[in-house]
Amino acid sequence: MTDQLPTPYHNTDFRLDVPDGDDRLRRICNRCSFVDYVNPKIVTGAVVIKDEHILICRRAIEPRKGFWTLPAGFMEEGESVEEGAIREAREEAMAEIRIDALLGVYSVPRISQVQIMFRAHLLSDIAPGPESLEVKLVPWREIPWSQMAFPTAIWALTHYAQTRNQEVFVPFGNPPGTEKVTRQSLQLP
C-alpha cells in the first residue's frame, strides 16, 4: 500500500495544540506545522412539491433506516448547494427537480452539520434510488410525522407550510427552543 510508505507529504506525527492566532485545539503536524482543520459537514436538500403533494423518502440506510425524510444528503466537492440538492433528489427518488427558493439553513452542532434546504418543484416521475426503500408523494395531512427521521426535515416541512403561498420570504433558521435537539445527544427510537 503506497499510502503507508513514508514520504515528505505523509506524516501521522500530529500533536494537539492551539495554533498561533487561533483559540482552540487543532491537530498540527510536528514536522511541517500543517494545521488539520476539521470543519462541519454541509447537507443540502429540498421540500419537493407536485400538485400540493410532498415528496418523501423512506431511508434504506442508517442512520434512521426505515424512517421517512426529505431528499437530502451531504454535498460533494465541486458542486453548489443547489446542484447538491438536485443530485440528492435524483439519487434518492430518481426525481428531476427545479429549485424554487432557499427555504432554511439549520445548524446542528452536536453532529457538526449545517443543513441547507430549498423549496423545489418535481418535474418527473419518481422511483426509489439506492438509498431509499420507498418514495411517494403525499398530501400534507398524510405526512407520517411520528415516523420522520430527523427534526430538521420536520422544520423544513413546517417552514414550507408557512411559505407555500409566498414567492418572496426570508429563509428560516433553527426554530426557537430547539437547543436541546441541536446541541445535545438524542436517544431516538
Side-chain angles (χ1 to χ4, degrees), residues 72-111:
F74 293 110
M75 285 185 62
E76 297 290 348
E77 289 184 358
E79 70 183 0
S80 69
V81 289
E82 294 87 355
E83 290 166 341
I86 291 166
R87 177 186 47 75
E88 286 293 336
R90 190 176 309 117
E91 287 178 1
E92 295 184 9
M94 311 301 275
E96 297 301 324
I97 66 172
R98 184 185 80 244
I99 300 291
D100 175 36
L102 175 62
L103 180 62
V105 177
Y106 309 115
S107 298
V108 190
R110 71 178 171 81
I111 54 175

CSV table of all heavy atoms in Angstrom, one decimal, residues 72-111:
chain,number,residue,atom,x,y,z
A,72,ALA,N,-32.3,14.6,0.7
A,72,ALA,CA,-31.2,15.4,1.2
A,72,ALA,C,-30.0,14.6,1.5
A,72,ALA,O,-30.1,13.4,1.7
A,72,ALA,CB,-31.6,16.2,2.4
A,73,GLY,N,-28.9,15.2,1.5
A,73,GLY,CA,-27.6,14.5,1.8
A,73,GLY,C,-26.4,15.4,1.8
A,73,GLY,O,-26.5,16.6,1.5
A,74,PHE,N,-25.3,14.8,2.0
A,74,PHE,CA,-24.0,15.5,2.1
A,74,PHE,C,-23.6,16.1,0.7
A,74,PHE,O,-23.8,15.3,-0.3
A,74,PHE,CB,-22.9,14.7,2.6
A,74,PHE,CG,-23.1,14.3,4.1
A,74,PHE,CD1,-23.4,13.0,4.4
A,74,PHE,CD2,-22.9,15.3,5.1
A,74,PHE,CE1,-23.5,12.7,5.8
A,74,PHE,CE2,-23.1,14.9,6.4
A,74,PHE,CZ,-23.4,13.6,6.7
A,75,MET,N,-23.2,17.3,0.7
A,75,MET,CA,-22.6,17.9,-0.6
A,75,MET,C,-21.4,17.1,-1.0
A,75,MET,O,-20.7,16.6,-0.2
A,75,MET,CB,-22.3,19.3,-0.4
A,75,MET,CG,-23.5,20.2,-0.3
A,75,MET,SD,-22.9,22.0,-0.2
A,75,MET,CE,-22.1,22.2,-1.7
A,76,GLU,N,-21.1,17.2,-2.3
A,76,GLU,CA,-19.9,16.6,-2.8
A,76,GLU,C,-19.0,17.8,-3.2
A,76,GLU,O,-19.5,18.9,-3.4
A,76,GLU,CB,-20.2,15.8,-4.1
A,76,GLU,CG,-21.0,14.6,-3.9
A,76,GLU,CD,-20.3,13.5,-3.1
A,76,GLU,OE1,-19.1,13.6,-2.9
A,76,GLU,OE2,-21.0,12.6,-2.6
A,77,GLU,N,-17.7,17.6,-3.2
A,77,GLU,CA,-16.8,18.6,-3.6
A,77,GLU,C,-17.1,19.1,-5.0
A,77,GLU,O,-17.4,18.3,-5.9
A,77,GLU,CB,-15.3,18.1,-3.5
A,77,GLU,CG,-14.9,17.9,-2.1
A,77,GLU,CD,-13.4,17.5,-2.0
A,77,GLU,OE1,-12.7,17.4,-3.0
A,77,GLU,OE2,-12.9,17.4,-0.9
A,78,GLY,N,-16.9,20.4,-5.3
A,78,GLY,CA,-17.1,20.9,-6.6
A,78,GLY,C,-18.5,21.2,-7.0
A,78,GLY,O,-18.8,21.5,-8.2
A,79,GLU,N,-19.5,21.0,-6.1
A,79,GLU,CA,-20.9,21.3,-6.5
A,79,GLU,C,-21.4,22.5,-5.6
A,79,GLU,O,-21.0,22.6,-4.5
A,79,GLU,CB,-21.8,20.1,-6.4
A,79,GLU,CG,-22.1,19.6,-5.1
A,79,GLU,CD,-22.9,18.3,-5.1
A,79,GLU,OE1,-23.3,17.8,-6.2
A,79,GLU,OE2,-23.2,17.8,-4.0
A,80,SER,N,-22.4,23.2,-6.2
A,80,SER,CA,-23.1,24.2,-5.4
A,80,SER,C,-24.1,23.6,-4.5
A,80,SER,O,-24.5,22.4,-4.7
A,80,SER,CB,-23.7,25.2,-6.4
A,80,SER,OG,-24.8,24.6,-7.0
A,81,VAL,N,-24.7,24.3,-3.6
A,81,VAL,CA,-25.7,23.7,-2.7
A,81,VAL,C,-26.9,23.4,-3.6
A,81,VAL,O,-27.6,22.4,-3.3
A,81,VAL,CB,-26.1,24.6,-1.5
A,81,VAL,CG1,-24.9,24.7,-0.5
A,81,VAL,CG2,-26.4,26.0,-2.0
A,82,GLU,N,-27.2,24.2,-4.6
A,82,GLU,CA,-28.4,23.9,-5.5
A,82,GLU,C,-28.1,22.6,-6.2
A,82,GLU,O,-29.0,21.7,-6.3
A,82,GLU,CB,-28.6,25.0,-6.4
A,82,GLU,CG,-29.1,26.3,-5.8
A,82,GLU,CD,-28.0,27.2,-5.3
A,82,GLU,OE1,-26.8,26.8,-5.4
A,82,GLU,OE2,-28.3,28.3,-4.8
A,83,GLU,N,-26.9,22.4,-6.8
A,83,GLU,CA,-26.6,21.2,-7.5
A,83,GLU,C,-26.6,20.0,-6.6
A,83,GLU,O,-27.1,18.9,-7.0
A,83,GLU,CB,-25.2,21.3,-8.1
A,83,GLU,CG,-25.1,22.3,-9.3
A,83,GLU,CD,-23.7,22.7,-9.7
A,83,GLU,OE1,-22.7,22.5,-8.8
A,83,GLU,OE2,-23.5,23.2,-10.8
A,84,GLY,N,-26.2,20.2,-5.4
A,84,GLY,CA,-26.2,19.1,-4.4
A,84,GLY,C,-27.7,18.6,-4.1
A,84,GLY,O,-28.0,17.4,-4.1
A,85,ALA,N,-28.6,19.6,-3.9
A,85,ALA,CA,-30.0,19.3,-3.7
A,85,ALA,C,-30.6,18.6,-4.9
A,85,ALA,O,-31.4,17.6,-4.7
A,85,ALA,CB,-30.8,20.5,-3.4
A,86,ILE,N,-30.3,19.0,-6.1
A,86,ILE,CA,-30.8,18.4,-7.3
A,86,ILE,C,-30.2,16.9,-7.4
A,86,ILE,O,-31.0,16.0,-7.7
A,86,ILE,CB,-30.4,19.2,-8.5
A,86,ILE,CG1,-31.2,20.5,-8.5
A,86,ILE,CG2,-30.6,18.4,-9.8
A,86,ILE,CD1,-30.7,21.6,-9.5
A,87,ARG,N,-29.0,16.8,-7.1
A,87,ARG,CA,-28.3,15.4,-7.2
A,87,ARG,C,-29.0,14.5,-6.2
A,87,ARG,O,-29.3,13.3,-6.5
A,87,ARG,CB,-26.8,15.5,-7.0
A,87,ARG,CG,-26.1,14.1,-7.0
A,87,ARG,CD,-24.7,14.2,-6.6
A,87,ARG,NE,-24.4,15.1,-5.4
A,87,ARG,CZ,-24.6,14.7,-4.2
A,87,ARG,NH1,-25.1,13.5,-3.9
A,87,ARG,NH2,-24.3,15.5,-3.2
A,88,GLU,N,-29.2,15.0,-4.9
A,88,GLU,CA,-29.7,14.1,-3.9
A,88,GLU,C,-31.1,13.7,-4.3
A,88,GLU,O,-31.5,12.6,-4.0
A,88,GLU,CB,-29.7,14.9,-2.6
A,88,GLU,CG,-28.3,15.0,-1.9
A,88,GLU,CD,-27.8,13.6,-1.5
A,88,GLU,OE1,-28.6,12.7,-1.2
A,88,GLU,OE2,-26.5,13.5,-1.4
A,89,ALA,N,-32.0,14.6,-4.8
A,89,ALA,CA,-33.3,14.2,-5.3
A,89,ALA,C,-33.2,13.1,-6.3
A,89,ALA,O,-34.0,12.1,-6.3
A,89,ALA,CB,-34.1,15.4,-5.8
A,90,ARG,N,-32.3,13.2,-7.2
A,90,ARG,CA,-32.1,12.2,-8.3
A,90,ARG,C,-31.6,10.9,-7.7
A,90,ARG,O,-32.1,9.8,-8.0
A,90,ARG,CB,-31.1,12.7,-9.3
A,90,ARG,CG,-31.0,11.8,-10.5
A,90,ARG,CD,-30.1,12.4,-11.6
A,90,ARG,NE,-30.3,13.8,-11.9
A,90,ARG,CZ,-29.5,14.8,-11.7
A,90,ARG,NH1,-28.3,14.6,-11.2
A,90,ARG,NH2,-29.8,16.1,-12.0
A,91,GLU,N,-30.7,10.9,-6.7
A,91,GLU,CA,-30.1,9.7,-6.1
A,91,GLU,C,-31.2,9.0,-5.3
A,91,GLU,O,-31.3,7.8,-5.3
A,91,GLU,CB,-28.9,10.0,-5.3
A,91,GLU,CG,-27.7,10.4,-6.1
A,91,GLU,CD,-26.5,10.7,-5.2
A,91,GLU,OE1,-26.6,10.7,-3.9
A,91,GLU,OE2,-25.4,11.0,-5.8
A,92,GLU,N,-31.9,9.7,-4.5
A,92,GLU,CA,-32.8,9.1,-3.5
A,92,GLU,C,-34.2,8.8,-4.1
A,92,GLU,O,-34.9,7.9,-3.6
A,92,GLU,CB,-33.0,10.0,-2.3
A,92,GLU,CG,-31.6,10.1,-1.5
A,92,GLU,CD,-31.7,10.9,-0.3
A,92,GLU,OE1,-32.8,11.3,0.2
A,92,GLU,OE2,-30.6,11.2,0.3
A,93,ALA,N,-34.7,9.6,-5.1
A,93,ALA,CA,-36.0,9.4,-5.6
A,93,ALA,C,-36.1,9.4,-7.1
A,93,ALA,O,-37.2,9.4,-7.6
A,93,ALA,CB,-36.9,10.5,-5.0
A,94,MET,N,-35.0,9.3,-7.8
A,94,MET,CA,-34.9,9.3,-9.2
A,94,MET,C,-35.7,10.5,-9.8
A,94,MET,O,-36.3,10.4,-10.8
A,94,MET,CB,-35.5,8.0,-9.8
A,94,MET,CG,-34.9,6.7,-9.2
A,94,MET,SD,-33.1,6.6,-9.4
A,94,MET,CE,-33.0,5.8,-11.0
A,95,ALA,N,-35.7,11.6,-9.0
A,95,ALA,CA,-36.5,12.7,-9.3
A,95,ALA,C,-35.7,13.8,-10.0
A,95,ALA,O,-34.6,14.1,-9.5
A,95,ALA,CB,-37.2,13.2,-8.0
A,96,GLU,N,-36.3,14.5,-11.0
A,96,GLU,CA,-35.7,15.7,-11.5
A,96,GLU,C,-36.5,16.8,-10.9
A,96,GLU,O,-37.8,16.8,-10.9
A,96,GLU,CB,-35.8,15.7,-13.1
A,96,GLU,CG,-35.0,14.6,-13.7
A,96,GLU,CD,-33.5,14.7,-13.4
A,96,GLU,OE1,-33.0,15.8,-13.3
A,96,GLU,OE2,-32.9,13.6,-13.3
A,97,ILE,N,-35.8,17.8,-10.4
A,97,ILE,CA,-36.5,18.9,-9.7
A,97,ILE,C,-35.9,20.2,-10.2
A,97,ILE,O,-34.9,20.3,-10.8
A,97,ILE,CB,-36.3,18.8,-8.2
A,97,ILE,CG1,-34.8,19.0,-7.8
A,97,ILE,CG2,-36.8,17.5,-7.6
A,97,ILE,CD1,-34.6,19.2,-6.3
A,98,ARG,N,-36.7,21.3,-9.9
A,98,ARG,CA,-36.3,22.7,-10.2
A,98,ARG,C,-36.4,23.4,-8.9
A,98,ARG,O,-37.4,23.4,-8.2
A,98,ARG,CB,-37.3,23.3,-11.2
A,98,ARG,CG,-36.8,24.8,-11.6
A,98,ARG,CD,-37.8,25.5,-12.5
A,98,ARG,NE,-38.9,26.0,-11.7
A,98,ARG,CZ,-40.2,25.6,-11.8
A,98,ARG,NH1,-40.6,24.7,-12.6
A,98,ARG,NH2,-41.1,26.1,-11.0
A,99,ILE,N,-35.3,24.0,-8.5
A,99,ILE,CA,-35.2,24.7,-7.2
A,99,ILE,C,-36.0,26.0,-7.4
A,99,ILE,O,-35.9,26.7,-8.4
A,99,ILE,CB,-33.7,25.1,-6.9
A,99,ILE,CG1,-32.9,23.8,-6.8
A,99,ILE,CG2,-33.6,26.0,-5.7
A,99,ILE,CD1,-33.1,23.0,-5.5
A,100,ASP,N,-36.8,26.3,-6.3
A,100,ASP,CA,-37.6,27.5,-6.3
A,100,ASP,C,-37.0,28.6,-5.5
A,100,ASP,O,-36.8,29.7,-5.9
A,100,ASP,CB,-39.0,27.1,-5.7
A,100,ASP,CG,-39.9,28.3,-5.6
A,100,ASP,OD1,-39.9,29.2,-6.4
A,100,ASP,OD2,-40.7,28.3,-4.6
A,101,ALA,N,-36.7,28.3,-4.2
A,101,ALA,CA,-36.1,29.3,-3.3
A,101,ALA,C,-35.4,28.6,-2.2
A,101,ALA,O,-35.7,27.4,-1.8
A,101,ALA,CB,-37.3,30.1,-2.8
A,102,LEU,N,-34.5,29.3,-1.5
A,102,LEU,CA,-33.9,28.9,-0.3
A,102,LEU,C,-34.9,28.9,0.8
A,102,LEU,O,-35.5,30.0,1.0
A,102,LEU,CB,-32.7,29.8,0.1
A,102,LEU,CG,-32.0,29.5,1.4
A,102,LEU,CD1,-31.4,28.1,1.4
A,102,LEU,CD2,-30.9,30.6,1.7
A,103,LEU,N,-35.1,27.8,1.5
A,103,LEU,CA,-36.2,27.7,2.5
A,103,LEU,C,-35.6,28.0,3.9
A,103,LEU,O,-36.1,28.7,4.7
A,103,LEU,CB,-36.8,26.3,2.5
A,103,LEU,CG,-37.9,26.1,3.5
A,103,LEU,CD1,-39.1,27.0,3.3
A,103,LEU,CD2,-38.4,24.6,3.4
A,104,GLY,N,-34.5,27.3,4.2
A,104,GLY,CA,-33.9,27.4,5.5
A,104,GLY,C,-32.5,26.9,5.6
A,104,GLY,O,-32.0,26.1,4.8
A,105,VAL,N,-31.8,27.4,6.6
A,105,VAL,CA,-30.4,27.0,6.9
A,105,VAL,C,-30.5,26.6,8.4
A,105,VAL,O,-30.7,27.5,9.3
A,105,VAL,CB,-29.4,28.1,6.7
A,105,VAL,CG1,-28.0,27.6,7.1
A,105,VAL,CG2,-29.4,28.5,5.2
A,106,TYR,N,-30.2,25.3,8.7
A,106,TYR,CA,-30.3,24.8,10.0
A,106,TYR,C,-29.0,24.4,10.5
A,106,TYR,O,-28.2,23.7,9.8
A,106,TYR,CB,-31.3,23.6,10.1
A,106,TYR,CG,-32.6,24.0,9.4
A,106,TYR,CD1,-33.1,23.3,8.3
A,106,TYR,CD2,-33.5,24.9,10.0
A,106,TYR,CE1,-34.3,23.6,7.7
A,106,TYR,CE2,-34.7,25.3,9.4
A,106,TYR,CZ,-35.1,24.6,8.2
A,106,TYR,OH,-36.3,24.9,7.6
A,107,SER,N,-28.6,24.7,11.8
A,107,SER,CA,-27.4,24.3,12.4
A,107,SER,C,-27.6,23.2,13.4
A,107,SER,O,-28.5,23.3,14.3
A,107,SER,CB,-26.8,25.5,13.1
A,107,SER,OG,-26.5,26.6,12.2
A,108,VAL,N,-26.8,22.2,13.3
A,108,VAL,CA,-26.9,21.0,14.2
A,108,VAL,C,-25.5,20.8,14.8
A,108,VAL,O,-24.8,19.8,14.3
A,108,VAL,CB,-27.5,19.8,13.6
A,108,VAL,CG1,-27.8,18.7,14.6
A,108,VAL,CG2,-28.8,20.1,12.8
A,109,PRO,N,-25.0,21.6,15.8
A,109,PRO,CA,-23.7,21.5,16.3
A,109,PRO,C,-23.3,20.1,16.9
A,109,PRO,O,-22.2,19.7,16.8
A,109,PRO,CB,-23.6,22.6,17.3
A,109,PRO,CG,-24.7,23.5,17.0
A,109,PRO,CD,-25.8,22.7,16.4
A,110,ARG,N,-24.3,19.4,17.5
A,110,ARG,CA,-24.0,18.1,18.1
A,110,ARG,C,-23.5,17.1,17.1
A,110,ARG,O,-22.8,16.1,17.5
A,110,ARG,CB,-25.1,17.6,18.9
A,110,ARG,CG,-26.3,17.1,18.1
A,110,ARG,CD,-27.4,16.5,19.0
A,110,ARG,NE,-28.5,16.2,18.2
A,110,ARG,CZ,-28.7,15.1,17.4
A,110,ARG,NH1,-27.8,14.2,17.4
A,110,ARG,NH2,-29.8,15.0,16.7
A,111,ILE,N,-23.8,17.2,15.8
A,111,ILE,CA,-23.3,16.3,14.8
A,111,ILE,C,-22.5,17.1,13.8
A,111,ILE,O,-22.2,16.6,12.7
A,111,ILE,CB,-24.4,15.5,14.2
A,111,ILE,CG1,-25.5,16.3,13.6
A,111,ILE,CG2,-24.9,14.4,15.2
A,111,ILE,CD1,-26.6,15.6,12.9
